[in-house]
Amino acid sequence: MSMTGGNDNELVDTQTPLPTTRRRRKKSSVWEHFTIEEVSGGCTRACCKLCKQTFAYSSGSKIAGTSHLKRHIALGSCPKIKYQNKLALASVAKSDGDTPDPPKRRYRSSGFSSVFDQDQSYVNLAKMIIVHEYPLDMVEHPAFVAFVQSLQPQFKMVDVSTIEGEVLSLYQKEKQNLMQAFVTMPGRISLTIGLWTTSQTLGYICLSGQFIDSDWKLHRRMLSFMMVSSPHSENALSEAIGVSLSDWNMKSKLFTITLDNNCSSHDIYSANLRDHLSNKNMLMLKGQLFVVRCYANILNVIAEDVVASIHGIIYNIRESIKFVKASPAREEKFAEIALQLEILSTKVLSLDVTTQWNTTYLMLVAALEYKQAFNFLETCDDNYNEAPSADDWMKVEVVCTYLKLLYDSANVVMATADPTANIFFHEAWKVLVELNSATSSEDTMVSGIANEMHEKFDKYWKDCSLILALAVVMDPRFKMKLVEFSFSKVYGADSARYVKLVNDSIHELYLEYVAQPLPLTPAYVDQGEANHINGDDSNVPTVDGLQDFDMYLSELSVNQPSKPEIEQYLEESLVPRIQDFDILNWWKLNYLKYPTLSKMARDVLAIPVSMVSTGCSIFSSGTGSRVLDEYRSSLRPETVEALFCAKDWLQYLPTMVEPPSTAIVRMEI
């Protein structure tokens, strides 16, 4: 009988013990210490020759491998080996009169170091607490202390105060690294404002910055998590932003600020922020772009209002689904009814999460397909009386039609890993056109729901359509053409006036960038971009003796002024709408062609039209305000800020083991 092992094993005869004098083989040295024994059922076990313990080896065709066997020998788990080691040490000590250092164990694992580093272990412990949001006092939990001691007895566990100091130190180190990276940031920074409340009257303002680096990569980094007494006060908001911008030396680089959609206070916020945060002469386009409203939040606000409008019907549907799923017998009976009624739906009935409107929408869509089954169930089961009426089902159908608009739009945004500002225009105008059409419907049920949705979305469109349009003009696949097309759908015969407004604004903004000096760089120096086009990533400039030629080209550009970049860009043919088009890479490759326009594109495309960061759900209610848990509310404000900010920064490091990196340009969000 023979069997073939895994990666560590060779063909082994289970009936004949392996010779111990055989030369050590590259992948099966453990068999010098083990034999294979057959047990019942065609299974085999590995038996230690010294202590006679047995270990799982194979079960039929499944091989357990040899890693656990290696550990038994290499880590001294075998009691016989432990005893032999003690005897050897005692013998050496007796003959030499001194106790020698125990022999260092060597491991085959690549990259493993047997040298214990107490300080680095403290840093790694602080990182673990930050990244996984563990409580600081876990360092005093007896079970955790015992676990760590079992792994490394040399590690000296710290107290809460010491680990808090490690967290603050790590935060300060990463903040300095980030500040150094911001010094070389080529463009402006746009901010998002998040509000956190506590069970007390205090709250926190979370400030994050979004920007595009010199390598045309989009980044978002948390800048501060600051405690304020009244987070919803516009004065507190302005002061917190001002303090943070000064702390990061970014007041002159501020481009836009994105807020949530608290419509009652949005206009007050806008005016207050313009007055307090920046000199009006420094704001681009006279401040028309300064305050942005979150697209994800407006979708949530409208969706939640629509869901609330039929809350009674939704309650009945939830109870109906609970009834059906209460037991296997009821589920089987419901399935039989659906089969009898020839309902061929593949959708599965499931309950929603009340704080995520997309799950409510999916619950309603599935329930609609089984509406006849619910109605029939009510007639044949006296215990069930929650079936919605025919009018109720009609309302659900209308609601699902318009929730689908919001659901599909949100999913497009979520599907984009790094959502630049250009992707939002197309989503917004499509939603608005559909709502415009629905408001004039002869069906009062349709027009009633659509009017409520349209009122809020139209307010968003009026506030943000210029920003969204400017961003899509910076998309070489669309430019002004999509603006002209979409505005004709939105405004009809009056569209020319709105198109002109966008066209005038894009030219005015361009002239403001023209007025800013470009870096004094010879034509040949910026070879990084040109080499990239040719497939060469070298950033070393080529000195080819043609400096005089560069001067000649510069004189030509002065004496024979060419068409402005903005005109040249808008008049050129549209780029084909290929799949997976990378707009940032396009501008990176065309930086030399449009040096001024690319500066404008860098800032405009970095506007965070949505406050929802990568990895977070766009469907959660209250995207603009969240609640801090009781534990973190009890910590010192500077510790809370360190925990939140450091967690955000650490997620972009290559690994949690290596020392923090200072090169932000190599991080990809």
Side-chain angles (χ1 to χ4, degrees):
M1 175 181 177
S2 65
M3 60 174 52
T4 302
N7 294 335
D8 295 322
N9 307 310
E10 297 175 356
L11 201 63
V12 178
D13 186 351
T14 58
Q15 299 299 323
T16 306
L18 290 173
T20 58
T21 59
R22 184 174 178 179
R23 290 185 63 186
R24 176 173 158 181
R25 290 172 294 179
K26 183 177 180 182
K27 294 186 178 180
S28 56
S29 60
V30 294
W31 301 118
E32 296 177 8
H33 304 277
F34 289 89
T35 59
I36 299 296
E37 295 182 352
E38 222 178 307
V39 295
S40 61
C43 301
T44 58
R45 295 182 67 83
C47 178
C48 177
K49 295 178 180 180
L50 295 175
C51 67
K52 305 304 180 183
Q53 291 187 53
T54 63
F55 302 84
Y57 180 62
S58 74
S59 175
S61 60
K62 185 176 180 181
I63 304 299
T66 59
S67 297
H68 59 310
L69 306 182
K70 291 178 181 178
R71 288 194 294 270
H72 180 71
I73 300 300
L75 300 183
S77 300
C78 177
K80 291 286 186 179
I81 292 180
K82 285 183 179 179
Y83 180 72
Q84 290 174 3
N85 288 342
K86 288 181 179 179
L87 290 179
L89 290 173
S91 175
V92 172
K94 185 175 181 181
S95 60
D96 295 346
D98 192 11
T99 303
D101 293 332
K104 293 182 179 178
R105 298 191 183 100
R106 300 189 178 275
Y107 301 88
R108 287 188 187 179
S109 302
S110 59
F112 179 83
S113 173
S114 60
V115 178
F116 173 66
D117 189 331
Q118 181 81 39
D119 293 335
Q120 185 59 43
S121 296
Y122 287 152
V123 173
N124 290 337
L125 178 58
K127 287 181 179 180
M128 182 188 73
I129 289 173
I130 291 169
V131 172
H132 298 290
E133 299 184 6
Y134 296 138
L136 294 174
D137 61 358
M138 73 175 296
V139 297
E140 296 179 352
H141 294 176
F144 178 70
V145 173
F147 171 69
V148 173
Q149 288 297 312
S150 69
L151 296 178
Q152 177 51 266
Q154 296 182 51
F155 180 76
K156 298 177 182 178
M157 185 56 73
V158 296
D159 57 18
V160 173
S161 178
T162 304
I163 197 63
E164 184 177 17
E166 287 288 342
V167 168
L168 292 171
S169 176
L170 185 62
Y171 160 76
Q172 289 296 339
K173 183 177 181 181
E174 289 302 319
K175 183 175 182 179
Q176 290 301 316
N177 293 339
L178 201 53
M179 289 186 76
Q180 291 175 11
F182 283 149
V183 171
T184 59
M185 185 174 65
R188 291 175 173 250
I189 191 166
S190 292
L191 306 180
T192 63
I193 312 299
L195 303 181
W196 288 69
T197 58
T198 67
S199 57
Q200 308 162 350
T201 57
L202 299 174
Y204 285 83
I205 292 176
C206 176
L207 187 69
S208 297
Q210 186 157 298
F211 61 96
I212 294 172
D213 67 18
S214 57
D215 197 38
W216 288 88
K217 300 295 184 184
L218 182 68
H219 300 273
R220 182 181 293 188
R221 296 290 187 273
M222 189 177 293
L223 301 180
S224 65
F225 198 87
M226 189 178 304
M227 189 184 76
V228 292
S229 57
S230 302
H232 292 278
S233 163
E234 62 269 16
N235 289 328
L237 183 64
S238 299
E239 291 173 6
I241 297 172
V243 168
S244 184
L245 289 175
S246 297
D247 184 33
W248 288 90
N249 299 319
M250 283 189 182
K251 202 162 186 181
S252 62
K253 291 188 174 184
L254 180 60
F255 191 54
T256 66
I257 294 179
T258 302
L259 301 171
D260 65 7
N261 285 278
N262 186 336
C263 297
S264 62
S265 62
H266 185 274
D267 295 333
I268 299 175
Y269 278 167
S270 301
N272 188 275
L273 290 171
R274 287 189 180 95
D275 290 341
H276 286 80
L277 292 179
S278 290
N279 183 335
K280 290 186 178 181
N281 295 327
M282 296 176 60
L283 296 180
M284 307 302 290
L285 213 58
K286 299 176 182 178
Q288 295 181 71
L289 311 179
F290 189 53
V291 178
V292 184
R293 295 175 65 187
C294 175
Y295 183 72
N297 189 269
I298 194 63
L299 294 182
N300 287 342
V301 167
I302 296 174
E304 289 162 9
D305 286 348
V306 172
V307 168
S309 69
I310 58 166
H311 66 92
I313 302 173
I314 292 176
Y315 173 82
N316 286 345
I317 291 175
R318 284 197 190 106
E319 293 301 312
S320 298
I321 295 174
K322 288 180 185 178
F323 180 85
V324 169
K325 301 181 83 63
S327 68
R330 288 182 181 177
E331 286 190 277
E332 185 177 348
K333 180 179 180 181
F334 190 79
E336 291 175 357
I337 292 174
L339 186 63
Q340 181 181 347
L341 295 174
E342 298 183 351
I343 299 174
L344 303 179
S345 174
T346 58
K347 290 184 171 61
V348 178
L349 292 175
S350 61
L351 292 170
D352 62 335
V353 178
T354 56
T355 57
Q356 296 183 351
W357 63 267
N358 62 314
T359 62
T360 304
Y361 162 70
L362 294 174
M363 178 184 74
L364 297 178
V365 169
L368 268 175
E369 304 227 351
Y370 293 97
K371 63 180 180 180
Q372 291 180 330
F374 282 116
N375 293 336
F376 187 87
L377 181 64
E378 193 171 41
T379 63
C380 63
D381 192 327
D382 294 337
N383 295 317
Y384 173 65
N385 56 4
E386 301 287 351
S389 65
D391 286 343
D392 289 342
W393 285 119
M394 288 179 62
K395 288 181 181 178
V396 171
E397 190 168 353
V398 172
V399 163
C400 286
T401 299
Y402 292 100
L403 281 180
K404 186 177 187 301
L405 276 177
L406 311 180
Y407 177 79
D408 290 344
S409 186
N411 275 317
V412 169
V413 175
M414 287 185 65
T416 307
D418 298 321
T420 45
N422 58 296
I423 72 169
F424 294 89
F425 177 82
H426 191 53
E427 296 306 312
W429 78 262
K430 286 191 302 182
V431 171
L432 185 63
V433 167
E434 291 292 336
L435 293 179
N436 283 344
S437 175
T439 54
S440 57
S441 173
E442 295 181 359
D443 188 327
T444 56
M445 187 182 301
V446 172
S447 61
I449 292 175
N451 276 316
E452 292 182 6
M453 298 175 68
H454 182 271
E455 182 180 356
K456 286 187 172 63
F457 199 84
D458 188 57
K459 175 69 167 64
Y460 172 83
W461 176 260
K462 288 176 180 176
D463 287 342
C464 297
S465 59
L466 177 60
I467 296 171
L468 301 180
L470 293 181
V472 84
V473 172
M474 293 292 95
D475 190 329
R477 298 171 297 174
F478 302 114
K479 303 181 182 179
M480 283 296 299
K481 300 301 182 184
L482 184 59
V483 175
E484 295 165 1
F485 173 78
S486 58
F487 278 18
S488 67
K489 303 286 187 182
V490 174
Y491 299 110
D494 201 25
S495 63
R497 179 164 64 94
Y498 294 96
V499 171
K500 184 178 185 303
L501 175 63
V502 174
N503 189 61
D504 291 346
S505 298
I506 201 77
H507 282 80
E508 183 180 345
L509 184 60
Y510 169 74
L511 291 177
E512 292 183 13
Y513 277 87
V514 170
Q516 301 173 9
L518 286 170
L520 298 176
T521 307
Y524 71 88
V525 169
D526 197 355
Q527 288 294 320
E529 307 298 337
N531 288 337
H532 186 88
I533 297 173
N534 295 323
D536 182 5
D537 291 330
S538 173
N539 290 319
V540 180
T542 302
V543 181
D544 52 12
L546 291 176
Q547 289 87 340
D548 291 343
F549 176 65
D550 296 322
M551 294 179 63
Y552 168 71
L553 293 178
S554 300
E555 291 173 359
L556 282 180
S557 64
V558 173
N559 297 327
Q560 300 177 5
S562 59
K563 188 176 294 186
E565 291 177 30
I566 184 66
E567 298 298 342
Q568 183 182 350
Y569 170 76
L570 293 176
E571 291 175 7
E572 285 184 345
S573 301
L574 300 180
V575 171
R577 299 196 308 276
I578 60 173
Q579 191 174 10
D580 299 327
F581 175 74
D582 188 339
I583 188 172
L584 296 184
N585 190 57
W586 188 92
W587 279 104
K588 177 180 179 179
L589 298 180
N590 286 273
Y591 171 77
L592 291 178
K593 186 176 182 179
Y594 303 115
T596 300
L597 193 61
S598 64
K599 287 177 59 180
M600 186 172 87
R602 187 195 302 273
D603 293 340
V604 171
L605 294 175
I607 296 175
V609 179
S610 170
M611 293 173 58
V612 180
S613 58
T614 305
C616 298
S617 174
I618 201 172
F619 301 104
S620 298
S621 61
T623 54
S625 180
R626 287 180 283 182
V627 180
L628 204 64
D629 60 52
E630 291 293 333
Y631 170 72
R632 297 210 168 188
S633 298
S634 67
L635 298 176
R636 294 187 302 164
E638 56 268 31
T639 303
V640 176
E641 181 172 41
L643 289 169
F644 272 87
C645 291
K647 179 186 178 184
D648 178 75
W649 303 336
L650 288 174
Q651 67 178 308
Y652 302 114
L653 295 180
T655 170
M656 289 295 98
V657 177
E658 295 179 0
S661 170
T662 60
I664 192 173
V665 295
R666 293 188 286 106
M667 307 174 192
E668 292 190 14
I669 295 180

